[in-house]
Amino acid sequence: MNQGSLVSIDDISKEQILDLLDRAAYFEAHPNSKLLDGKVVATLFFEPSTRTRLSFETAVNRLGGRVIGFSDAATSSTSKGETLKDTIKMVSNYADLIVMRHHLEGAARYATEVTDVPIVNAGDGANQHPSQTMLDLYSIVKTQGRLENLTITMVGDLKYGRTVHSLLMAMRYFNPRFRFVSSPELEMPREYIEICRDLGIEYTEHRDFSPEVINSSDIIYMTRVQRERFSDPMEYEKVKNLYSLRRDMLGNTRPGMRILHPLPRVNEIDRDVDDCPQAYYFEQARNGVFARQAIITRALNIDPTR
Ligand code: CP
């Protein structure tokens, strides 16, 4: 793969993850610089986004670089039938780094095969979302003081939710205990369960989002049911409101427990949870800028401390 790309969290080692977290901490302390002076970053969003695109673009701007791209494939020549390969080859003529989100699983991997420009996967279908994982890990370190030996409860759409897949893979280095709470239709895919088994990672699967599960968690990672991944709208209607976190469920949580959510949310966290001390999802999204500054500088082989 071309140097510097981040397609899947599985492609990087524990040491590389820790290096990215160190970089994120550096950028939180030093958000503005000219490290990307003269560099152009393309953000190609074939699927909608608020946080990922805007935080990548904020990261580039704070590093002194320039951004080109599109936030709606309908405004690009994709709408005239241009292939992904041709689009990537064209944009490679203009940019030093490509950040892309696409509905097809494997699209970012494919892009690395048709260009030498580094590719950062900003989400490919239900597959992976590695930059989200880096901001999730950074949020976990900031709130828990460590990554090791934590009980992480993932709730909701564990089938289509690419963020939980990437987070599981990253946490495998840090001796986690997982609780997976979902309906049968939206269970964690068996391939990830097999990975837990093979690596000896403790996990339990639950249908009930019970007080026992909530009160034994260090992190509760809520997810949105991904309507856009369902081919049958009736199936979505059946499961869309199965799990919802309310303020009255938080009376006996562990002292440092924090609630994460990649956002956007629909109904899975009540609005009155927002001002509870356990709620961390808006700060989590803010951490995305620092994590993405880390990813961008790594991709371009820039040492922020030079
Ligand atoms: N968390 C996340 O990927 O949000 P957006 O879809 O708004 O980018």
Side-chain angles (χ1 to χ4, degrees), residues 213-230:
V213 168
I214 292 169
N215 297 339
S216 64
S217 300
D218 297 303
I219 293 288
I220 295 180
Y221 197 98
M222 299 298 295
T223 64
R224 174 178 67 91
V225 176
Q226 310 263 303
R227 185 182 55 193
E228 62 275 30
R229 313 276 177 230
F230 284 76

Side-chain angles (χ1 to χ4, degrees), residues 64-83:
R66 298 291 181 102
V67 177
I68 61 170
F70 52 80
S71 56
D72 178 358
T75 65
S76 78
S77 287
T78 303
S79 63
K80 303 177 203 163
E82 186 161 60
T83 63

